[in-house]
Amino acid sequence: MLLGPALAQDARPSLDLGSSPWRAWRDEKAPYLDDPLHLPGQFKLSELPVNSPGCGWDTLHTTAGVVTRLPATIESLFGEGNPSWRYHGVSWFATEVEIPESWRGRILKLQVGKARLRLELYVNEQLAAYDIVAEPPLSVDITRFVAPGKKNRLAFRITNPGGQRGWNDAPCTEWGFLKPENGKVVGGDGTSASSKTTRKLPPGHDFGGITGEVRLEALEPVHSEELWVKNLLPAGARRIELRAEVRNQAGQPAQVEAHYEIRPWKGDHILTQGTLTLQLVPGSSGDLAKTLELPAASLWSPDSPALYTCRLRLKSRLPNGTVLLDETETRFGFRVIEAKVNARGEHHLYLNGERVRLRSAIDWGYYRAGGAFPTREQARR
């Protein structure tokens, strides 16, 4: 089953928001030192405070601060080239985006590659996301906050409480209190806030900003998430497990046909393909899984980094006759890494069954100009 070339182009339209003009502004009078902090899964978004910018929403989006593109850090924008310049506190990154009318009825997800440290996302002045673990990638469903066919306001409120700026081992960052219990803010040991018992955060670089790509995706109500390929033992067998989560947000039952194919990353030859089926009731999700063995595939190694693409196309039929199409893909290599003990009791690393010795340069993650993120050229070098 092939769904045609048009699907690959149109199944998941997206907007690269990093290339849009953003206004970056330091909200220097905004309090933050005594803020309660909230871990994922331990708060209700509707119960969190809405923190408006000190300059007002209209000023933030029209005249405040400086104009930039993303990724960017406050240090790179306001530090005037001084590598020791620091800003601790609240800052904003704001833009306007016109969402196509044709996206109405789709699930709109904002993808944030990386940010530091606390991230609060405001969409049309409404709090749409809160994240204190923002350095890994973040995906936010903003469908209910936006109006397709119109300009919509996006604003990131970033708080940088401090961090490490040097080559020595990094200490933990201390900041904030546990969330309120019975209306009273308490520290990690149950004492009152007046005792100044703070939370200890993992070490991090002392930068504040949006340090990864920002992209808005339009997904069909039935779509796949978390597509990934896992290498399986034994080493060298070229055995993999394809896994994906399929979500039904269509409000109707969905009969899903999932067509997968694996081919070289740079090439058109299909190594294998097949179809899996799934029945999903409204509001549910289901897992797709398939174990494959591909003896013709090339193993990945540093000297020969052969890469492959796994593409997943969904064709979902709803009871009212609507057919929804979705497509996603991921890149991977056939490689099994093991830590094993040899006959002499020595521990070594093995790649595809062969012992390897790792040699590398120390990279502390500081980069010229941007500070916390490399340009593509710097990353390649």
Side-chain angles (χ1 to χ4, degrees):
M1 180 190 74
L2 294 177
L3 301 180
L7 177 59
Q9 299 169 6
D10 304 324
R12 284 194 171 183
S14 64
L15 295 174
D16 175 15
L17 301 187
S19 58
S20 301
W22 291 74
R23 286 202 165 269
W25 178 67
R26 290 175 290 168
D27 201 345
E28 297 178 85
K29 296 182 179 180
Y32 72 96
L33 288 174
D34 292 341
D35 283 358
L37 303 180
H38 311 277
L39 292 173
Q42 297 184 3
F43 65 89
K44 291 182 179 179
L45 192 66
S46 60
E47 296 178 356
L48 298 186
V50 173
N51 296 302
S52 303
C55 64
W57 290 109
D58 289 340
T59 300
L60 176 68
H61 283 276
T62 55
T63 60
V66 299
V67 177
T68 185
R69 300 291 193 273
L70 299 183
T73 61
I74 291 297
E75 290 72 21
S76 65
L77 296 172
F78 296 95
E80 298 181 348
N82 181 355
S84 63
W85 186 88
R86 302 172 184 235
Y87 173 71
H88 296 157
V90 174
S91 59
W92 293 82
F93 293 82
T95 192
E96 291 186 341
V97 54
E98 186 163 347
I99 298 178
E101 174 64 34
S102 60
W103 288 14
R104 189 177 297 277
R106 287 177 175 257
I107 307 301
L108 305 185
K109 289 198 173 182
L110 189 68
Q111 311 289 353
V112 184
K114 186 179 179 183
R116 189 182 188 278
L117 178 63
R118 179 178 63 186
L119 178 150
E120 296 165 80
L121 169 64
Y122 289 88
V123 181
N124 294 324
E125 281 88 74
Q126 301 176 80
L127 181 61
Y130 174 101
D131 191 62
I132 197 70
V133 195
E135 291 193 82
L138 180 67
S139 178
V140 183
D141 185 341
I142 64 171
T143 309
R144 65 188 179 96
F145 299 100
V146 300
K150 299 180 180 179
K151 281 190 176 181
N152 294 262
R153 287 178 167 181
L154 301 181
F156 292 108
R157 185 179 190 260
I158 298 295
T159 309
N160 174 24
Q164 181 68 14
R165 190 77 65 80
W167 307 106
N168 53 308
D169 290 338
C172 293
T173 301
E174 295 188 357
W175 173 43
F177 299 96
L178 289 170
K179 67 180 182 178
E181 293 182 3
N182 300 321
K184 182 180 180 181
V185 177
V186 297
D189 57 359
T191 59
S192 67
S194 60
S195 68
K196 298 300 182 185
T197 300
T198 56
R199 300 293 300 270
K200 291 185 182 295
L201 281 66
H205 290 169
D206 193 5
F207 295 100
I210 307 297
T211 54
E213 68 170 5
V214 178
R215 189 177 74 258
L216 182 61
E217 286 186 340
L219 309 180
E220 290 289 4
V222 182
H223 57 272
S224 62
E225 295 186 354
E226 302 295 337
L227 171 64
W228 58 290
V229 175
K230 176 183 179 181
N231 279 276
L232 302 176
L233 292 170
R238 299 164 175 84
R239 293 182 68 240
I240 57 173
E241 183 183 29
L242 181 160
R243 297 193 67 91
E245 178 188 356
V246 180
R247 183 165 296 177
N248 179 11
Q249 296 177 253
Q252 304 178 56
Q255 180 181 344
V256 182
E257 296 178 7
H259 177 79
Y260 65 86
E261 62 180 42
I262 294 177
R263 63 176 70 201
W265 176 43
K266 295 183 178 179
D268 295 327
H269 172 65
I270 298 177
L271 271 71
T272 188
Q273 59 182 323
T275 301
L276 305 172
T277 60
L278 198 62
Q279 302 282 342
L280 294 176
V281 300
S284 70
S285 61
D287 292 328
L288 295 173
K290 180 69 175 180
T291 299
L292 301 167
E293 189 165 320
L294 304 175
S298 299
L299 296 177
W300 183 96
S301 72
D303 295 328
S304 181
L307 293 174
Y308 292 83
T309 297
C310 175
R311 179 174 296 169
L312 185 68
R313 298 185 176 104
L314 302 184
K315 186 174 183 179
S316 304
R317 302 179 186 275
L318 307 183
N320 64 2
T322 301
V323 176
L324 304 177
L325 304 178
D326 178 64
E327 179 180 301
T328 188
E329 63 181 38
T330 189
R331 192 172 64 184
F332 71 99
F334 287 86
R335 55 188 179 187
V336 171
I337 300 173
E338 300 171 274
K340 299 192 298 184
V341 182
N342 64 15
R344 295 189 296 272
E346 300 166 335
H347 293 75
H348 297 297
L349 287 176
Y350 294 81
L351 171 64
N352 294 327
E354 300 291 331
R355 182 185 170 187
V356 293
R357 295 173 173 83
L358 300 184
R359 302 181 184 90
S360 68
I362 295 177
D363 181 355
W364 290 83
Y366 296 105
Y367 305 95
R368 181 175 57 83
F373 60 90
T375 63
R376 289 185 179 274
E377 292 75 17
Q378 288 172 333
R380 285 189 174 277
R381 187 179 66 181

